[in-house]
Amino acid sequence: MSNPFEDNDAQYLVLVNDEGQYSLWPAVIDVPAGWDLRFGPDARQACLAYVEANWGDMRPLSLVRDTESAGS
């Protein structure tokens, strides 16, 4: 069996967790608890393009909030 996370011909989802972190997820696997569907299902490249266009700050949201509150 091939790796479902590396199949260029499969359909994928883009998921986001409470920390604002994105994940490319195979559409054939149930979405894990704590993650919400943001985009898809679509081709792997379309999902990667969505992530690239929408995830500008890779820091977890809790770190962003802590950094902002420390600067005030």
Side-chain angles (χ1 to χ4, degrees):
M1 179 177 184
S2 65
N3 182 346
F5 290 88
E6 298 293 331
D7 184 352
N8 287 325
D9 297 323
Q11 292 283 294
Y12 286 86
L13 308 171
V14 175
L15 307 180
V16 178
N17 67 15
D18 290 342
E19 286 286 350
Q21 298 167 312
Y22 284 64
S23 178
L24 195 64
W25 198 259
V28 297
I29 299 175
D30 291 339
V31 173
W35 292 84
D36 295 313
L37 177 62
R38 186 59 55 93
F39 177 81
D42 209 331
R44 181 179 174 83
Q45 282 307 119
C47 289
L48 287 171
Y50 180 88
V51 170
E52 185 174 326
N54 290 280
W55 193 15
D57 187 345
M58 296 183 81
R59 297 176 299 166
L61 290 176
S62 58
L63 178 61
V64 172
R65 285 190 291 270
D66 289 348
T67 302
E68 289 172 354
S69 66
S72 0

Short mmCIF file of all heavy atoms in Angstrom, two decimals:
data_model
loop_
_atom_site.label_atom_id
_atom_site.label_comp_id
_atom_site.label_asym_id
_atom_site.label_seq_id
_atom_site.Cartn_x
_atom_site.Cartn_y
_atom_site.Cartn_z
N MET A 1 0.83 -1.18 0.00
CA MET A 1 0.00 0.00 0.00
C MET A 1 0.88 1.25 0.00
O MET A 1 1.84 1.34 0.74
CB MET A 1 -0.90 -0.02 1.23
CG MET A 1 -1.78 1.17 1.35
SD MET A 1 -2.84 0.98 2.80
CE MET A 1 -3.81 2.42 2.61
N SER A 2 0.52 2.23 -0.83
CA SER A 2 1.30 3.46 -0.88
C SER A 2 0.91 4.39 0.25
O SER A 2 -0.14 4.26 0.86
CB SER A 2 1.09 4.14 -2.23
OG SER A 2 -0.25 4.56 -2.37
N ASN A 3 1.75 5.34 0.51
CA ASN A 3 1.52 6.31 1.58
C ASN A 3 0.42 7.28 1.15
O ASN A 3 0.60 8.04 0.19
CB ASN A 3 2.83 7.05 1.86
CG ASN A 3 2.70 8.04 2.98
OD1 ASN A 3 1.62 8.40 3.42
ND2 ASN A 3 3.84 8.50 3.45
N PRO A 4 -0.72 7.32 1.84
CA PRO A 4 -1.82 8.20 1.42
C PRO A 4 -1.50 9.69 1.58
O PRO A 4 -2.18 10.54 1.01
CB PRO A 4 -2.97 7.80 2.33
CG PRO A 4 -2.32 7.21 3.53
CD PRO A 4 -1.05 6.56 3.04
N PHE A 5 -0.44 10.02 2.31
CA PHE A 5 -0.05 11.41 2.50
C PHE A 5 0.87 11.91 1.39
O PHE A 5 1.20 13.09 1.35
CB PHE A 5 0.62 11.60 3.86
CG PHE A 5 -0.34 11.45 5.01
CD1 PHE A 5 -0.59 10.21 5.56
CD2 PHE A 5 -1.01 12.55 5.51
CE1 PHE A 5 -1.48 10.06 6.61
CE2 PHE A 5 -1.91 12.42 6.56
CZ PHE A 5 -2.15 11.17 7.11
N GLU A 6 1.30 11.02 0.51
CA GLU A 6 2.24 11.37 -0.55
C GLU A 6 1.75 10.97 -1.93
O GLU A 6 2.53 10.85 -2.85
CB GLU A 6 3.59 10.70 -0.28
CG GLU A 6 4.26 11.13 1.00
CD GLU A 6 4.72 12.57 0.99
OE1 GLU A 6 5.02 13.12 -0.08
OE2 GLU A 6 4.75 13.18 2.08
N ASP A 7 0.45 10.76 -2.11
CA ASP A 7 -0.12 10.30 -3.37
C ASP A 7 -0.54 11.51 -4.20
O ASP A 7 -1.55 12.15 -3.92
CB ASP A 7 -1.31 9.38 -3.09
CG ASP A 7 -1.91 8.78 -4.34
OD1 ASP A 7 -1.51 9.19 -5.45
OD2 ASP A 7 -2.77 7.91 -4.20
N ASN A 8 0.23 11.82 -5.24
CA ASN A 8 -0.07 12.98 -6.07
C ASN A 8 -1.38 12.86 -6.84
O ASN A 8 -1.89 13.85 -7.36
CB ASN A 8 1.08 13.25 -7.04
CG ASN A 8 2.29 13.82 -6.34
OD1 ASN A 8 2.16 14.58 -5.39
ND2 ASN A 8 3.47 13.45 -6.79
N ASP A 9 -1.91 11.65 -6.97
CA ASP A 9 -3.15 11.44 -7.72
C ASP A 9 -4.40 11.42 -6.82
O ASP A 9 -5.52 11.31 -7.31
CB ASP A 9 -3.07 10.12 -8.49
CG ASP A 9 -1.95 10.14 -9.52
OD1 ASP A 9 -1.73 11.21 -10.13
OD2 ASP A 9 -1.29 9.11 -9.70
N ALA A 10 -4.22 11.53 -5.52
CA ALA A 10 -5.34 11.44 -4.57
C ALA A 10 -5.99 12.81 -4.36
O ALA A 10 -5.43 13.85 -4.72
CB ALA A 10 -4.85 10.90 -3.24
N GLN A 11 -7.15 12.79 -3.76
CA GLN A 11 -7.84 14.01 -3.34
C GLN A 11 -7.43 14.31 -1.89
O GLN A 11 -7.28 13.40 -1.08
CB GLN A 11 -9.36 13.80 -3.41
CG GLN A 11 -9.87 13.65 -4.82
CD GLN A 11 -9.93 14.99 -5.53
OE1 GLN A 11 -10.70 15.86 -5.14
NE2 GLN A 11 -9.12 15.16 -6.55
N TYR A 12 -7.28 15.59 -1.60
CA TYR A 12 -6.85 16.03 -0.27
C TYR A 12 -7.79 17.08 0.29
O TYR A 12 -8.59 17.68 -0.42
CB TYR A 12 -5.43 16.61 -0.33
CG TYR A 12 -4.39 15.55 -0.50
CD1 TYR A 12 -4.05 15.08 -1.76
CD2 TYR A 12 -3.75 15.00 0.60
CE1 TYR A 12 -3.09 14.09 -1.91
CE2 TYR A 12 -2.80 14.01 0.46
CZ TYR A 12 -2.47 13.56 -0.80
OH TYR A 12 -1.54 12.57 -0.95
N LEU A 13 -7.66 17.28 1.58
CA LEU A 13 -8.35 18.33 2.31
C LEU A 13 -7.30 19.23 2.94
O LEU A 13 -6.19 18.78 3.22
CB LEU A 13 -9.20 17.74 3.44
CG LEU A 13 -10.17 16.63 3.09
CD1 LEU A 13 -10.75 16.03 4.36
CD2 LEU A 13 -11.26 17.15 2.18
N VAL A 14 -7.65 20.47 3.19
CA VAL A 14 -6.82 21.35 4.00
C VAL A 14 -7.54 21.51 5.33
O VAL A 14 -8.71 21.93 5.37
CB VAL A 14 -6.59 22.72 3.33
CG1 VAL A 14 -5.82 23.64 4.26
CG2 VAL A 14 -5.86 22.55 2.01
N LEU A 15 -6.86 21.16 6.40
CA LEU A 15 -7.41 21.26 7.74
C LEU A 15 -6.69 22.34 8.52
O LEU A 15 -5.52 22.64 8.25
CB LEU A 15 -7.25 19.92 8.47
CG LEU A 15 -7.77 18.67 7.77
CD1 LEU A 15 -7.52 17.45 8.65
CD2 LEU A 15 -9.23 18.80 7.41
N VAL A 16 -7.38 22.90 9.53
CA VAL A 16 -6.78 23.90 10.41
C VAL A 16 -7.17 23.55 11.84
O VAL A 16 -8.32 23.18 12.11
CB VAL A 16 -7.27 25.32 10.06
CG1 VAL A 16 -6.70 26.35 11.03
CG2 VAL A 16 -6.92 25.68 8.64
N ASN A 17 -6.20 23.66 12.76
CA ASN A 17 -6.50 23.38 14.17
C ASN A 17 -6.71 24.68 14.94
O ASN A 17 -6.65 25.77 14.37
CB ASN A 17 -5.41 22.50 14.81
CG ASN A 17 -4.07 23.19 14.93
OD1 ASN A 17 -3.94 24.40 14.81
ND2 ASN A 17 -3.04 22.40 15.16
N ASP A 18 -6.96 24.57 16.23
CA ASP A 18 -7.23 25.74 17.07
C ASP A 18 -6.05 26.69 17.17
O ASP A 18 -6.21 27.85 17.54
CB ASP A 18 -7.65 25.32 18.48
CG ASP A 18 -9.02 24.67 18.51
OD1 ASP A 18 -9.79 24.84 17.54
OD2 ASP A 18 -9.32 23.97 19.49
N GLU A 19 -4.86 26.21 16.87
CA GLU A 19 -3.66 27.05 16.90
C GLU A 19 -3.40 27.72 15.56
O GLU A 19 -2.39 28.38 15.38
CB GLU A 19 -2.44 26.21 17.31
CG GLU A 19 -2.42 25.85 18.77
CD GLU A 19 -2.04 27.02 19.68
OE1 GLU A 19 -1.61 28.08 19.19
OE2 GLU A 19 -2.17 26.87 20.90
N GLY A 20 -4.31 27.52 14.59
CA GLY A 20 -4.15 28.14 13.28
C GLY A 20 -3.14 27.44 12.39
O GLY A 20 -2.71 28.01 11.39
N GLN A 21 -2.77 26.23 12.74
CA GLN A 21 -1.82 25.46 11.96
C GLN A 21 -2.56 24.66 10.89
O GLN A 21 -3.63 24.11 11.15
CB GLN A 21 -1.02 24.52 12.86
CG GLN A 21 -0.21 25.28 13.87
CD GLN A 21 0.33 24.39 14.97
OE1 GLN A 21 -0.40 23.59 15.54
NE2 GLN A 21 1.62 24.53 15.25
N TYR A 22 -2.01 24.60 9.71
CA TYR A 22 -2.63 23.94 8.57
C TYR A 22 -2.05 22.54 8.38
O TYR A 22 -0.89 22.29 8.71
CB TYR A 22 -2.38 24.75 7.30
CG TYR A 22 -3.24 25.98 7.18
CD1 TYR A 22 -3.11 27.02 8.09
CD2 TYR A 22 -4.16 26.11 6.16
CE1 TYR A 22 -3.89 28.16 7.99
CE2 TYR A 22 -4.94 27.25 6.04
CZ TYR A 22 -4.80 28.27 6.95
OH TYR A 22 -5.57 29.39 6.84
N SER A 23 -2.89 21.66 7.80
CA SER A 23 -2.45 20.31 7.49
C SER A 23 -3.08 19.87 6.19
O SER A 23 -4.26 20.11 5.94
CB SER A 23 -2.87 19.34 8.60
OG SER A 23 -2.49 18.02 8.28
N LEU A 24 -2.27 19.24 5.35
CA LEU A 24 -2.77 18.60 4.13
C LEU A 24 -3.17 17.19 4.53
O LEU A 24 -2.36 16.45 5.08
CB LEU A 24 -1.65 18.59 3.10
CG LEU A 24 -2.05 18.30 1.67
CD1 LEU A 24 -2.96 19.40 1.14
CD2 LEU A 24 -0.81 18.19 0.79
N TRP A 25 -4.43 16.82 4.26
CA TRP A 25 -4.97 15.56 4.76
C TRP A 25 -5.64 14.77 3.65
O TRP A 25 -6.44 15.32 2.90
CB TRP A 25 -5.99 15.88 5.86
CG TRP A 25 -6.30 14.72 6.73
CD1 TRP A 25 -7.40 13.92 6.67
CD2 TRP A 25 -5.50 14.21 7.78
NE1 TRP A 25 -7.34 12.94 7.62
CE2 TRP A 25 -6.17 13.10 8.32
CE3 TRP A 25 -4.27 14.58 8.32
CZ2 TRP A 25 -5.66 12.36 9.38
CZ3 TRP A 25 -3.77 13.85 9.36
CH2 TRP A 25 -4.45 12.76 9.89
N PRO A 26 -5.33 13.48 3.53
CA PRO A 26 -5.99 12.66 2.50
C PRO A 26 -7.50 12.63 2.71
O PRO A 26 -7.98 12.41 3.83
CB PRO A 26 -5.39 11.27 2.70
CG PRO A 26 -4.11 11.50 3.44
CD PRO A 26 -4.35 12.70 4.30
N ALA A 27 -8.27 12.86 1.65
CA ALA A 27 -9.72 12.93 1.76
C ALA A 27 -10.33 11.58 2.15
O ALA A 27 -11.45 11.55 2.67
CB ALA A 27 -10.31 13.41 0.43
N VAL A 28 -9.61 10.49 1.94
CA VAL A 28 -10.15 9.15 2.25
C VAL A 28 -10.00 8.80 3.73
O VAL A 28 -10.50 7.77 4.17
CB VAL A 28 -9.49 8.05 1.38
CG1 VAL A 28 -9.80 8.29 -0.09
CG2 VAL A 28 -7.99 7.98 1.63
N ILE A 29 -9.33 9.65 4.51
CA ILE A 29 -9.13 9.40 5.94
C ILE A 29 -9.99 10.39 6.72
O ILE A 29 -10.02 11.59 6.41
CB ILE A 29 -7.64 9.54 6.32
CG1 ILE A 29 -6.80 8.53 5.54
CG2 ILE A 29 -7.45 9.34 7.82
CD1 ILE A 29 -5.31 8.67 5.76
N ASP A 30 -10.68 9.91 7.74
CA ASP A 30 -11.53 10.77 8.57
C ASP A 30 -10.72 11.93 9.15
O ASP A 30 -9.57 11.76 9.55
CB ASP A 30 -12.16 9.98 9.72
CG ASP A 30 -13.21 8.98 9.25
OD1 ASP A 30 -13.74 9.15 8.13
OD2 ASP A 30 -13.48 8.04 10.00
N VAL A 31 -11.36 13.08 9.22
CA VAL A 31 -10.74 14.27 9.81
C VAL A 31 -10.57 14.01 11.31
O VAL A 31 -11.53 13.65 11.99
CB VAL A 31 -11.60 15.52 9.57
CG1 VAL A 31 -11.06 16.72 10.33
CG2 VAL A 31 -11.71 15.81 8.08
N PRO A 32 -9.35 14.17 11.83
CA PRO A 32 -9.13 13.91 13.26
C PRO A 32 -9.77 14.99 14.15
O PRO A 32 -9.97 16.13 13.72
CB PRO A 32 -7.61 13.92 13.39
CG PRO A 32 -7.12 14.71 12.23
CD PRO A 32 -8.13 14.55 11.14
N ALA A 33 -10.06 14.61 15.37
CA ALA A 33 -10.61 15.54 16.35
C ALA A 33 -9.67 16.73 16.52
O ALA A 33 -8.44 16.58 16.51
CB ALA A 33 -10.81 14.83 17.69
N GLY A 34 -10.25 17.90 16.66
CA GLY A 34 -9.44 19.10 16.88
C GLY A 34 -9.05 19.81 15.59
O GLY A 34 -8.39 20.84 15.64
N TRP A 35 -9.44 19.27 14.47
CA TRP A 35 -9.12 19.87 13.17
C TRP A 35 -10.41 20.18 12.43
O TRP A 35 -11.37 19.42 12.49
CB TRP A 35 -8.27 18.93 12.33
CG TRP A 35 -6.90 18.74 12.90
CD1 TRP A 35 -6.53 17.86 13.87
CD2 TRP A 35 -5.72 19.45 12.53
NE1 TRP A 35 -5.19 17.99 14.13
CE2 TRP A 35 -4.66 18.96 13.32
CE3 TRP A 35 -5.44 20.46 11.62
CZ2 TRP A 35 -3.37 19.43 13.22
CZ3 TRP A 35 -4.14 20.94 11.52
CH2 TRP A 35 -3.12 20.42 12.32
N ASP A 36 -10.45 21.31 11.72
CA ASP A 36 -11.61 21.73 10.95
C ASP A 36 -11.26 21.81 9.47
O ASP A 36 -10.16 22.25 9.12
CB ASP A 36 -12.10 23.10 11.42
CG ASP A 36 -12.60 23.08 12.84
OD1 ASP A 36 -13.39 22.17 13.18
OD2 ASP A 36 -12.21 23.96 13.62
N LEU A 37 -12.21 21.43 8.64
CA LEU A 37 -12.03 21.51 7.19
C LEU A 37 -12.01 22.96 6.76
O LEU A 37 -12.89 23.74 7.12
CB LEU A 37 -13.18 20.77 6.49
CG LEU A 37 -13.19 20.81 4.98
CD1 LEU A 37 -11.94 20.14 4.41
CD2 LEU A 37 -14.43 20.16 4.44
N ARG A 38 -11.01 23.33 6.00
CA ARG A 38 -10.89 24.70 5.50
C ARG A 38 -11.03 24.75 3.98
O ARG A 38 -11.52 25.73 3.43
CB ARG A 38 -9.54 25.28 5.92
CG ARG A 38 -9.31 26.72 5.61
CD ARG A 38 -10.30 27.69 6.25
NE ARG A 38 -10.42 27.59 7.68
CZ ARG A 38 -9.75 28.30 8.56
NH1 ARG A 38 -8.88 29.18 8.17
NH2 ARG A 38 -9.97 28.15 9.85
N PHE A 39 -10.61 23.67 3.28
CA PHE A 39 -10.63 23.67 1.81
C PHE A 39 -10.64 22.24 1.32
O PHE A 39 -10.03 21.37 1.93
CB PHE A 39 -9.39 24.41 1.28
CG PHE A 39 -9.26 24.41 -0.22
CD1 PHE A 39 -9.99 25.33 -0.97
CD2 PHE A 39 -8.43 23.52 -0.86
CE1 PHE A 39 -9.86 25.35 -2.36
CE2 PHE A 39 -8.30 23.54 -2.24
CZ PHE A 39 -9.01 24.45 -2.99
N GLY A 40 -11.27 22.00 0.19
CA GLY A 40 -11.25 20.69 -0.44
C GLY A 40 -12.56 19.95 -0.26
O GLY A 40 -13.51 20.48 0.32
N PRO A 41 -12.62 18.75 -0.77
CA PRO A 41 -11.52 18.00 -1.38
C PRO A 41 -11.13 18.56 -2.75
O PRO A 41 -11.96 19.06 -3.49
CB PRO A 41 -12.07 16.59 -1.49
CG PRO A 41 -13.54 16.73 -1.53
CD PRO A 41 -13.86 17.99 -0.76
N ASP A 42 -9.85 18.42 -3.03
CA ASP A 42 -9.31 18.86 -4.31
C ASP A 42 -7.98 18.15 -4.53
O ASP A 42 -7.50 17.41 -3.66
CB ASP A 42 -9.11 20.37 -4.30
CG ASP A 42 -9.23 20.98 -5.70
OD1 ASP A 42 -8.93 20.29 -6.69
OD2 ASP A 42 -9.62 22.16 -5.78
N ALA A 43 -7.39 18.39 -5.68
CA ALA A 43 -6.09 17.79 -6.02
C ALA A 43 -5.02 18.28 -5.04
O ALA A 43 -5.13 19.38 -4.47
CB ALA A 43 -5.70 18.16 -7.45
N ARG A 44 -4.00 17.47 -4.86
CA ARG A 44 -2.91 17.80 -3.94
C ARG A 44 -2.32 19.19 -4.21
O ARG A 44 -2.14 19.99 -3.30
CB ARG A 44 -1.83 16.72 -4.03
CG ARG A 44 -0.65 16.93 -3.10
CD ARG A 44 0.36 15.79 -3.25
NE ARG A 44 1.55 16.03 -2.49
CZ ARG A 44 1.70 15.77 -1.20
NH1 ARG A 44 0.71 15.25 -0.51
NH2 ARG A 44 2.83 16.04 -0.58
N GLN A 45 -2.04 19.49 -5.48
CA GLN A 45 -1.42 20.77 -5.84
C GLN A 45 -2.35 21.94 -5.51
O GLN A 45 -1.90 22.98 -5.07
CB GLN A 45 -1.01 20.79 -7.30
CG GLN A 45 0.27 20.02 -7.58
CD GLN A 45 1.42 20.46 -6.69
OE1 GLN A 45 1.95 19.66 -5.92
NE2 GLN A 45 1.82 21.70 -6.79
N ALA A 46 -3.65 21.77 -5.73
CA ALA A 46 -4.61 22.84 -5.40
C ALA A 46 -4.63 23.08 -3.90
O ALA A 46 -4.69 24.23 -3.44
CB ALA A 46 -6.00 22.49 -5.91
N CYS A 47 -4.57 22.01 -3.12
CA CYS A 47 -4.55 22.15 -1.66
C CYS A 47 -3.26 22.81 -1.19
O CYS A 47 -3.28 23.67 -0.30
CB CYS A 47 -4.77 20.79 -1.00
SG CYS A 47 -6.45 20.17 -1.19
N LEU A 48 -2.15 22.41 -1.78
CA LEU A 48 -0.87 23.05 -1.41
C LEU A 48 -0.89 24.54 -1.76
O LEU A 48 -0.40 25.36 -0.98
CB LEU A 48 0.28 22.34 -2.13
CG LEU A 48 0.64 20.97 -1.61
CD1 LEU A 48 1.65 20.29 -2.56
CD2 LEU A 48 1.19 21.02 -0.20
N ALA A 49 -1.47 24.88 -2.90
CA ALA A 49 -1.56 26.29 -3.30
C ALA A 49 -2.44 27.06 -2.31
O ALA A 49 -2.14 28.21 -1.95
CB ALA A 49 -2.11 26.40 -4.72
N TYR A 50 -3.52 26.44 -1.84
CA TYR A 50 -4.39 27.08 -0.86
C TYR A 50 -3.62 27.35 0.44
O TYR A 50 -3.70 28.44 1.00
CB TYR A 50 -5.62 26.21 -0.58
CG TYR A 50 -6.53 26.84 0.44
CD1 TYR A 50 -7.54 27.71 0.03
CD2 TYR A 50 -6.38 26.60 1.79
CE1 TYR A 50 -8.36 28.32 0.96
CE2 TYR A 50 -7.20 27.20 2.73
CZ TYR A 50 -8.19 28.06 2.30
OH TYR A 50 -8.99 28.67 3.24
N VAL A 51 -2.88 26.36 0.90
CA VAL A 51 -2.10 26.53 2.13
C VAL A 51 -1.09 27.66 1.96
O VAL A 51 -0.97 28.54 2.82
CB VAL A 51 -1.40 25.21 2.53
CG1 VAL A 51 -0.39 25.45 3.66
CG2 VAL A 51 -2.42 24.16 2.94
N GLU A 52 -0.39 27.66 0.84
CA GLU A 52 0.62 28.68 0.59
C GLU A 52 0.00 30.09 0.56
O GLU A 52 0.57 31.04 1.08
CB GLU A 52 1.34 28.41 -0.72
CG GLU A 52 2.49 29.35 -0.98
CD GLU A 52 3.29 28.98 -2.21
OE1 GLU A 52 3.42 27.77 -2.49
OE2 GLU A 52 3.79 29.89 -2.87
N ALA A 53 -1.19 30.20 -0.01
CA ALA A 53 -1.85 31.51 -0.12
C ALA A 53 -2.47 31.98 1.19
O ALA A 53 -2.67 33.18 1.37
CB ALA A 53 -2.92 31.44 -1.21
N ASN A 54 -2.76 31.05 2.11
CA ASN A 54 -3.53 31.42 3.30
C ASN A 54 -2.82 31.27 4.63
O ASN A 54 -3.33 31.74 5.64
CB ASN A 54 -4.82 30.58 3.34
CG ASN A 54 -5.76 31.00 2.25
OD1 ASN A 54 -6.47 31.98 2.38
ND2 ASN A 54 -5.75 30.27 1.15
N TRP A 55 -1.67 30.62 4.66
CA TRP A 55 -0.97 30.42 5.92
C TRP A 55 0.31 31.24 5.91
O TRP A 55 1.38 30.76 5.60
CB TRP A 55 -0.68 28.94 6.14
CG TRP A 55 -0.23 28.58 7.52
CD1 TRP A 55 -0.33 29.33 8.65
CD2 TRP A 55 0.39 27.36 7.93
NE1 TRP A 55 0.18 28.66 9.73
CE2 TRP A 55 0.64 27.43 9.31
CE3 TRP A 55 0.76 26.20 7.26
CZ2 TRP A 55 1.23 26.41 10.02
CZ3 TRP A 55 1.35 25.18 7.97
CH2 TRP A 55 1.58 25.28 9.34
N GLY A 56 0.19 32.51 6.26
CA GLY A 56 1.32 33.42 6.18
C GLY A 56 2.24 33.40 7.39
O GLY A 56 3.43 33.63 7.28
N ASP A 57 1.67 33.12 8.55
CA ASP A 57 2.45 33.13 9.79
C ASP A 57 2.38 31.73 10.39
O ASP A 57 1.32 31.30 10.85
CB ASP A 57 1.87 34.16 10.76
CG ASP A 57 2.73 34.37 11.99
OD1 ASP A 57 3.62 33.52 12.27
OD2 ASP A 57 2.51 35.36 12.70
N MET A 58 3.47 31.01 10.38
CA MET A 58 3.48 29.62 10.81
C MET A 58 3.53 29.46 12.34
O MET A 58 3.43 28.36 12.84
CB MET A 58 4.62 28.86 10.16
CG MET A 58 4.46 28.79 8.65
SD MET A 58 5.73 27.83 7.85
CE MET A 58 5.08 26.19 8.14
N ARG A 59 3.63 30.57 13.06
CA ARG A 59 3.64 30.48 14.52
C ARG A 59 2.27 30.06 15.02
O ARG A 59 1.25 30.51 14.49
CB ARG A 59 4.02 31.81 15.15
CG ARG A 59 5.41 32.29 14.80
CD ARG A 59 5.65 33.66 15.39
NE ARG A 59 4.69 34.62 14.84
CZ ARG A 59 4.47 35.83 15.34
NH1 ARG A 59 5.14 36.24 16.40
NH2 ARG A 59 3.59 36.64 14.78
N PRO A 60 2.21 29.22 16.07
CA PRO A 60 0.92 28.89 16.68
C PRO A 60 0.25 30.16 17.21
O PRO A 60 0.93 31.09 17.67
CB PRO A 60 1.29 27.95 17.83
CG PRO A 60 2.65 27.45 17.51
CD PRO A 60 3.32 28.52 16.70
N LEU A 61 -1.07 30.22 17.15
CA LEU A 61 -1.79 31.41 17.59
C LEU A 61 -1.49 31.77 19.05
O LEU A 61 -1.44 32.95 19.40
CB LEU A 61 -3.29 31.23 17.39
CG LEU A 61 -3.76 31.22 15.94
CD1 LEU A 61 -5.26 30.93 15.88
CD2 LEU A 61 -3.43 32.52 15.25
N SER A 62 -1.28 30.77 19.89
CA SER A 62 -0.96 31.06 21.30
C SER A 62 0.36 31.83 21.41
O SER A 62 0.49 32.73 22.23
CB SER A 62 -0.92 29.79 22.13
OG SER A 62 0.04 28.88 21.62
N LEU A 63 1.32 31.50 20.57
CA LEU A 63 2.60 32.22 20.58
C LEU A 63 2.41 33.64 20.05
O LEU A 63 2.98 34.59 20.59
CB LEU A 63 3.64 31.47 19.75
CG LEU A 63 5.00 32.13 19.62
CD1 LEU A 63 5.65 32.30 20.99
CD2 LEU A 63 5.90 31.33 18.70
N VAL A 64 1.60 33.80 19.02
CA VAL A 64 1.32 35.13 18.48
C VAL A 64 0.69 36.00 19.56
O VAL A 64 1.11 37.14 19.78
CB VAL A 64 0.41 35.04 17.25
CG1 VAL A 64 -0.06 36.42 16.80
CG2 VAL A 64 1.11 34.31 16.10
N ARG A 65 -0.30 35.45 20.26
CA ARG A 65 -0.97 36.22 21.33
C ARG A 65 0.02 36.57 22.44
O ARG A 65 0.02 37.69 22.95
CB ARG A 65 -2.15 35.43 21.88
CG ARG A 65 -3.34 35.42 20.95
CD ARG A 65 -4.56 34.83 21.63
NE ARG A 65 -4.44 33.40 21.88
CZ ARG A 65 -4.82 32.45 21.03
NH1 ARG A 65 -5.36 32.77 19.88
NH2 ARG A 65 -4.67 31.18 21.34
N ASP A 66 0.85 35.61 22.85
CA ASP A 66 1.82 35.87 23.91
C ASP A 66 2.82 36.93 23.51
O ASP A 66 3.17 37.82 24.29
CB ASP A 66 2.57 34.59 24.29
CG ASP A 66 1.72 33.58 25.03
OD1 ASP A 66 0.60 33.95 25.47
OD2 ASP A 66 2.17 32.42 25.16
N THR A 67 3.26 36.88 22.26
CA THR A 67 4.22 37.86 21.75
C THR A 67 3.59 39.24 21.71
O THR A 67 4.22 40.23 22.09
CB THR A 67 4.70 37.45 20.34
OG1 THR A 67 5.28 36.15 20.42
CG2 THR A 67 5.71 38.43 19.79
N GLU A 68 2.34 39.32 21.26
CA GLU A 68 1.65 40.61 21.18
C GLU A 68 1.39 41.19 22.57
O GLU A 68 1.55 42.38 22.78
CB GLU A 68 0.35 40.48 20.40
CG GLU A 68 0.56 40.26 18.93
CD GLU A 68 -0.72 39.94 18.16
OE1 GLU A 68 -1.78 39.78 18.79
OE2 GLU A 68 -0.62 39.83 16.93
N SER A 69 1.01 40.35 23.54
CA SER A 69 0.74 40.85 24.88
C SER A 69 2.03 41.28 25.59
O SER A 69 2.03 42.18 26.39
CB SER A 69 -0.03 39.84 25.70
OG SER A 69 0.76 38.68 25.95
N ALA A 70 3.15 40.64 25.26
CA ALA A 70 4.43 41.01 25.85
C ALA A 70 4.92 42.34 25.32
O ALA A 70 5.63 43.07 26.00
CB ALA A 70 5.48 39.93 25.59
N GLY A 71 4.50 42.69 24.10
CA GLY A 71 4.92 43.95 23.49
C GLY A 71 4.07 45.13 23.87
O GLY A 71 4.39 46.27 23.57
N SER A 72 2.95 44.88 24.59
CA SER A 72 2.08 46.01 24.93
C SER A 72 2.48 46.71 26.19
O SER A 72 3.17 46.34 27.00
CB SER A 72 0.63 45.60 25.11
OG SER A 72 0.31 44.30 24.93
#
